Amino acid sequence: MSAVADRHVVADAEAKSASAKPSLFSRALPAWAQALPLALVFLVFFLVPLALTVMVSFWDYTEYSLVPAFTLRSYVEMFEGCYDKLPDLCVTLKTYLSTLKFCISVWLISLGVGFFIAYFLAFHVRTTTMQVALFLVCTVPFWTSNVIRTISWIPLLGRNGLVNSTLVKAGIINTPIEWLIFSDFSVIVALVHLYTLFMIVPIFNSMMRIDRALLEAARDSGASGWQTIWNVVIPLSKPGIVIGSIFVITIVMGDFVTVGVMGGQQIASVGKVINTQMGALQFPPAAANSVILLVAVLFIIAALTKLVDIRKEL
Amino acid sequence: MSGSSLELAALTKAYGSTVAVDAIDLKVPANTYCCLLGPSGCGKTSTLRLVAGHETATAGDIIIGPTNVTELPPAQRGTAMMFQSYALFPHLTSADNVAFSLKVRGVPKAERRASAMDMLGLVHMEPYAERLPAQLSGGQQQRVALARALITRPQILLLDEPLSALDPFLRIKVRAELKRLQKELGISFLHVTHSQDEAMALADLVVLMNGGRIEQAGTPREVFNAPRTAFVAQFMGGHNVIATGSGPIAVRADRVKLRRAGEPGRLSGTVRGIEYQGTHLQVTLASPDQSDLTALMNEAEFDAVPLKPGETLAVDWSEQDIHRLNA
């Protein structure tokens, strides 16, 4: 009897949900409409250009024209001789290695600096007003254009710049240090100066979610300051650390302006190569290079997201 | 675990010009369940945090056993704190949470794991050793927090409103367990609460605070039966504070007698409300020149002379039920 009644109820419910379908659709419509503008922007300004880049990377080219085709020429030329020359590195691999070297240095330094600035802002600055004020100070590097900012390094780090002249006058060195500017050092300094903020913001955000009672609980259990940072703060800031790392790594991997100017146009980077090829109107190789760079960056991001479930944190 | 006594001497905590704890003196003998009781902002939590070492005293001393711990860091005081929100580390399992203090002391993994399992056993939480705090209920989280606090073998356990996050049914069950645990371990518990029921049920020593000072300290029966001030009588409940020519007095609500108007009585009152509370009835009366009076009657008494709201009655009490209060 009750089974029959149940079946009846189920059938009833099915009939109801069938008749409810149009209303469900009309309820979903506003939601789709709300998502539409961003989806369109995403499509037109991201997916379409990306598809075009991939397409062009397979085209053929001459000195003065692009030839629509499907050829692997650009990819083959990019890695030409890479295998034969081993253990010596071909130009492409050298460029990638150099870019990766900058990327890792800048990532490590900005992670170290960014973590402790975020830690200071989150746990030592007590008032929100002061936090906001100090955050604004962190954004100072972005208050001026890239060109002016980069040029401003010259009076500071140049051969006769502030640092060198101070060191000479103080008698610490006799002749100015040459590697302060137009060197790997200056590229790293400029990149760290710029992108540490991208590390600070997500890490700070993660840290602000940490219940202050946890730090007291750690202290109550006898943990020292460093033990608290290592055992409590770092594990709970991991999502921010990963998000910040993704920001910094993707930006630095593709950078060519800072590397160009601060490296005195003498240092190779993947972005710089793409930029040069574009300047020479060699679009297919530039596109192929971009695709390879994109794949490399995606691998790095995939590895990072293995460390933490970012969706859970957003 | 061995118990130690706790002594506070002229302990003061000021935040700028606000004085949270105002030169309090208190002695808690070893193996005592002591409840710090009072309304919000009375300084009870600040006092607890001072004892724990999470606040620094502005003046005065904290002495645990033979040691003056006023300047010592929390972990060297022989105290352990159980936080109001439990403050379990969300990224660590129950067992790792409990073992945390051993880990930071460099105890080898196998050893600290065994100790943690012992502690979890004490609070009947071994089956949940591998769960993260988010996978536990409030009551289970509290047990883990308790185990984490006890693993350091404290002489005094500090509990900050430990029952406030639990539902009323669980609260009564857990408070019985806390009392049992305190007796079993033979250490002192210092328990902050704003509920006088909780304090009366648990405490060997009730310390009622108000405005950063200790209003009265004593056994629950002393404090309830002999409130020193009107504040104590009102906060502990069950009392009527009545202004008389010779100063305020307290009369327990269950000792108040209600008679028909015209019969002998010390005051007259108009019935404003009658609440049925199961074991008894609570009658609220408005009386001229007095704050509202409360009388508790058992069902039989009430049925003998049913009352109606609006009725004016004579309110009486016998001489021996008068308790004089300090003005």
Side-chain angles (χ1 to χ4, degrees), chain A residues 41 92 126 146 237 244-245 270 275:
Chain A
V41 169
T92 305
R126 279 159 198 268
N146 203 4
S237 306
S245 302
V270 181
N275 183 242

Side-chain angles (χ1 to χ4, degrees), chain A residues 223-283:
Chain A
S224 66
W226 286 103
Q227 282 176 321
T228 307
I229 289 179
W230 183 253
N231 290 301
V232 181
V233 179
I234 290 181
L236 294 176
S237 306
K238 218 165 70 180
I241 291 173
V242 170
I243 293 170
S245 302
I246 290 174
F247 279 150
V248 170
I249 289 170
T250 49
I251 295 172
V252 174
M253 281 300 277
D255 180 276
F256 63 94
V257 176
T258 313
V259 175
V261 179
M262 295 306 289
Q265 310 298 347
Q266 298 303 307
I267 293 169
S269 77
V270 181
K272 187 81 196 143
V273 169
I274 297 170
N275 183 242
T276 310
Q277 286 168 334
M278 300 260 288
L281 297 179
Q282 294 180 321
F283 288 110

Side-chain angles (χ1 to χ4, degrees), chain A residues 300-311:
Chain A
I300 298 175
I301 293 174
L304 283 172
T305 48
K306 281 274 175 292
L307 294 176
V308 65
D309 185 2
I310 292 181
R311 273 172 306 173

Side-chain angles (χ1 to χ4, degrees), chain B residues 107-175:
Chain B
V107 176
K109 194 163 185 174
E111 199 179 312
R112 66 180 193 244
R113 168 100 200 159
S115 308
M117 292 310 283
D118 283 351
M119 276 301 150
L120 284 173
L122 186 70
V123 295
H124 312 296
M125 282 294 290
E126 297 127 307
Y128 302 95
E130 299 314 316
R131 296 259 190 108
L132 291 173
Q135 298 164 325
L136 300 173
S137 72
Q140 291 168 337
Q141 289 182 22
Q142 193 199 34
R143 285 157 185 273
V144 175
L146 194 57
R148 184 178 67 180
L150 289 173
I151 201 166
T152 58
R153 314 217 161 248
Q155 296 162 4
I156 299 175
L157 181 67
L158 309 168
L159 306 108
D160 187 7
E161 309 224 1
L163 307 175
S164 62
L166 304 176
D167 61 66
F169 181 73
L170 201 53
R171 205 175 290 165
I172 290 170
K173 206 174 139 224
V174 171
R175 86 181 178 202

Side-chain angles (χ1 to χ4, degrees), chain B residues 25-241:
Chain B
D25 295 299
L26 179 68
K27 275 185 185 160
V28 182
N31 194 8
T32 302
Y33 205 117
C34 173
C35 281
L36 291 178
L37 176 65
S40 345
C42 72
K44 57 188 193 299
T45 301
S46 297
T47 306
L48 188 82
R49 292 175 55 80
L50 283 167
V51 175
H54 293 305
E55 301 283 351
T56 29
T58 312
D61 289 295
I62 303 161
I63 296 136
I64 293 176
T67 322
N68 187 333
V69 301
T70 320
E71 304 291 328
L72 292 180
Q76 288 172 26
R77 295 184 170 211
T79 59
M81 182 148 167
M82 198 173 107
F83 291 83
Q84 187 174 10
S85 53
Y86 312 139
L88 293 175
F89 302 118
H91 59 295
L92 299 180
T93 62
S94 302
D96 288 341
N97 261 288
V98 175
F100 187 83
S101 63
L102 301 182
K103 187 185 177 190
V104 298
R105 272 164 220 191
V107 176
K109 194 163 185 174
E111 199 179 312
R112 66 180 193 244
R113 168 100 200 159
S115 308
M117 292 310 283
D118 283 351
M119 276 301 150
L120 284 173
L122 186 70
V123 295
H124 312 296
M125 282 294 290
E126 297 127 307
Y128 302 95
E130 299 314 316
R131 296 259 190 108
L132 291 173
Q135 298 164 325
L136 300 173
S137 72
Q140 291 168 337
Q141 289 182 22
Q142 193 199 34
R143 285 157 185 273
V144 175
L146 194 57
R148 184 178 67 180
L150 289 173
I151 201 166
T152 58
R153 314 217 161 248
Q155 296 162 4
I156 299 175
L157 181 67
L158 309 168
L159 306 108
D160 187 7
E161 309 224 1
L163 307 175
S164 62
L166 304 176
D167 61 66
F169 181 73
L170 201 53
R171 205 175 290 165
I172 290 170
K173 206 174 139 224
V174 171
R175 86 181 178 202
E177 275 178 51
L178 283 177
K179 181 81 179 172
R180 175 185 62 79
L181 202 58
Q182 187 260 325
K183 291 295 165 224
E184 253 177 52
L185 296 171
I187 62 174
S188 288
F189 279 26
L190 193 58
H191 173 141
V192 162
T193 178
H194 56 250
S195 150
Q196 80 282 5
D197 291 345
E198 213 169 288
M200 287 202 282
L202 282 169
D204 302 316
L205 175 64
V206 173
V207 178
L208 181 54
M209 293 186 68
N210 185 31
R213 292 172 174 279
I214 294 176
E215 201 80 15
Q216 189 170 0
T219 65
R221 292 185 83 151
E222 279 166 15
V223 176
F224 185 78
N225 285 320
R228 221 164 47 77
T229 60
F231 173 83
V232 176
Q234 271 153 355
F235 192 86
M236 293 309 287
H239 285 273
N240 290 298
V241 176

